[in-house]
Amino acid sequence: MRKNSLIGGIVLAAALLLGGCGGADAPAGHNADDVTFAQQMVPHHIQALDMAKLVPARSANPKVLGLASRIEQAQDPEIRLLQGWLTTWGAAPAHESMPGMGGSMSGADLKQLETATGAEFDKMWLGMMIQHHQGAIEMARTELAQGADAGAKALAQKIIDAQQAEIAEMQGLLTQS
């Protein structure tokens, strides 16, 4: 009986300790730069998702199709995480479009992309997505330098690492087309 009480106490202590850490679900110690990062990255990621959703109907290149799918799979959960942080922080939600976001495509750029197909679309999409990713990397670097929240800074580093790798992949695809 004493062994079960000891194990139960250890489990309870571990749960309390882990619960108090916050982790990615309940970030604490944020600052205005963390809020700005989240408020700008959400619409930036939404635009990347919109661009990725154009690919299946306009490209036949399996590598471009696969990349677009991976972008969707990575950025959709990040959007939900960022939105959750904004709610937890009591900050205003992100807006659909925020002027001044680095790498964002203009409405005219997106209209041009929507009218292209095949190899022309692939080249245009890859070029625009490289520019888009570079903007996200800039925002993430600002978060690393100026943000305070450990979870937000960890996400910023993850964005930098993933999007630099995708830029290299896209540059390689552009040389093949």
Side-chain angles (χ1 to χ4, degrees):
M1 192 73 168
R2 187 168 229 194
K3 185 177 178 184
N4 286 343
S5 294
L6 179 61
I7 292 172
I10 292 170
V11 169
L12 177 61
L16 289 172
L17 221 162
L18 290 174
C21 290
D25 293 330
H30 69 283
N31 66 15
D33 292 302
D34 297 315
V35 172
T36 299
F37 170 68
Q39 287 174 330
Q40 290 184 351
M41 194 58 75
V42 168
H44 197 268
H45 272 11
I46 288 171
Q47 187 177 68
L49 292 180
D50 291 343
M51 291 171 68
K53 288 175 183 168
L54 295 174
V55 173
R58 292 169 177 77
S59 177
N61 184 327
K63 292 181 180 179
V64 174
L65 288 162
L67 177 61
S69 176
R70 289 195 320 273
I71 288 170
E72 285 185 75
Q73 290 169 6
Q75 293 191 18
D76 190 49
E78 289 175 359
I79 290 168
R80 289 193 302 275
L81 179 63
L82 291 159
Q83 289 170 329
W85 287 343
L86 290 170
T87 300
T88 299
W89 294 335
H95 300 289
E96 280 298 311
S97 68
M98 295 184 71
M101 287 186 307
S104 292
M105 300 297 104
S106 70
D109 288 337
L110 294 174
K111 290 285 184 212
Q112 186 180 10
L113 187 61
E114 289 171 359
T115 62
T117 58
E120 176 191 7
F121 171 84
D122 292 345
K123 185 175 181 179
M124 191 180 305
W125 186 84
L126 290 165
M128 287 182 184
M129 191 58 80
I130 288 169
Q131 180 182 341
H132 199 268
H133 274 21
Q134 288 168 337
I137 289 168
E138 287 175 32
M139 285 189 281
R141 285 186 175 142
T142 299
E143 170 60 19
L144 286 178
Q146 299 173 6
D149 183 79
K153 290 175 83 128
L155 177 61
Q157 187 62 58
K158 179 182 169 191
I159 288 169
I160 291 168
D161 295 343
Q163 295 198 11
Q164 283 178 330
E166 288 173 353
I167 287 171
E169 180 180 353
M170 289 185 277
Q171 289 170 331
L173 290 171
L174 276 172
T175 61
Q176 295 172 10
S177 57

